[in-house]
Amino acid sequence: MVAPAQIGLPVEGVGFIAGIDPLLDRLRTMTNVASDPTVATLVGHLNGEVYFSSGSWSGTTGASPSND
C-alpha cells in the first residue's frame, strides 16, 4: 500500500477525509432511502394511481394484491 506522504498528500488531510467520510456516507444512504418511495409516490400520483386524501393506491393497474 502506498503511504499518503509518498504521493504528496498531507497525512492530516487524509485523516480528516477518512474521519468525515462515514458521516457523509450515511447522509448519501439516507437520501437514497428517502427519495425512492418519494419518487414512486409522486409518479403514482401523476398517473392517477395514488390519492393523497385517502392515502391509498387505486389498484386499477393490478399492482395491488387481489382479495381472492
Side-chain angles (χ1 to χ4, degrees):
M1 182 173 174
V2 178
Q6 288 179 334
I7 56 175
L9 293 175
V11 177
E12 297 83 14
V14 173
F16 176 74
I17 292 172
I20 198 82
D21 188 53
L23 176 63
L24 295 175
D25 189 38
R26 288 184 180 100
L27 292 173
R28 286 188 293 265
T29 301
M30 183 180 64
T31 301
N32 285 334
V33 169
S35 65
D36 287 345
T38 302
V39 171
T41 303
L42 180 63
V43 169
H45 177 69
L46 292 175
N47 287 326
E49 296 296 323
V50 68
Y51 302 106
F52 290 122
S53 60
S54 65
S56 62
W57 293 89
S58 67
T60 58
T61 62
S64 63
S66 64
N67 292 332
D68 294 337

